[in-house]
Amino acid sequence: MKYLALDPDDALDPGLRADLLDTWVAATNAGGAVGYTPPAPVELIAENLDGALGRVAAGLDLLGVLHTGQRYAGMGLLVGHGGTLNAHWRTVLRVMVHPEHQGSGAGRVLMEGLRGSAVDLGLEQLQLTIRDGLGLEKFYGPLGYRVVGTHPRAIRVAPDDYRDEIMLVLDL
């Protein structure tokens, strides 16, 4: 599994879009905390993916991907905020690995690649949020991320199922 930081022109590749859409749908259906709950709303995910790829193609955000040698099987974004006061950090968004490759160290490869891309961009800090109740802190903690805040009941996964959103930060 290899990490690649894509050039803006690469974001327009239809094969990339197809593989990432498949990954996002599969991750959602496997119970991943990637913006939706199962069953995956394919049309909404496609719309969200197209928006993200458009921002990458415009040079606003960076897309890091995992490639197996045959296909793209993971992704993560470094999302900018467009202001000069916070130009020294980015939000890590939409981190996912296709369920076929989870547990193989692919997530660590992706996160280390995104960290390297952030360093190459001259950033000082990365921020991400996670959904409480899935044990994701155990994954991000050893990578150097620390919890800096919690938004209670920020995520409603079902009418009677609220989760906290936890904010983590990594100093580079």
Side-chain angles (χ1 to χ4, degrees), residues 124-146:
E124 298 172 21
Q125 198 174 68
L126 294 175
Q127 178 262 333
L128 60 83
T129 60
I130 58 173
R131 184 186 306 170
D132 189 29
L134 299 174
L136 295 171
E137 304 91 331
K138 294 175 187 169
F139 173 72
Y140 290 106
L143 295 171
Y145 285 84
R146 70 184 190 287

Side-chain angles (χ1 to χ4, degrees), residues 18-37:
D19 287 352
L20 294 183
L21 180 59
D22 175 66
T23 294
W24 200 336
V25 168
T28 298
N29 285 333
V34 290
Y36 301 95
T37 57

Side-chain angles (χ1 to χ4, degrees), residues 3-4 6 11 16 20 24 48-57 60-65 74-81 90-96 110-111 114-115 117-118 121 123 126-128 145:
Y3 172 83
L4 304 166
L6 295 187
L16 169 75
L20 294 183
W24 200 336
N48 199 331
L49 177 60
D50 289 342
L53 292 174
R55 287 183 54 86
V56 172
L60 301 172
D61 299 333
L62 181 136
L63 174 62
V65 295
M75 66 177 267
L77 294 158
L78 297 182
V79 177
H81 304 282
R90 298 285 185 280
T91 298
V92 180
L93 192 62
R94 304 292 180 228
V95 173
M96 64 189 81
L110 178 60
M111 292 306 296
L114 289 169
R115 178 189 178 122
S117 292
L121 291 171
L123 300 177
L126 294 175
Q127 178 262 333
L128 60 83
Y145 285 84

Side-chain angles (χ1 to χ4, degrees), residues 92-108:
V92 180
L93 192 62
R94 304 292 180 228
V95 173
M96 64 189 81
V97 173
H98 196 287
E100 293 175 354
H101 301 284
Q102 290 176 356
S104 68
R108 176 174 281 282

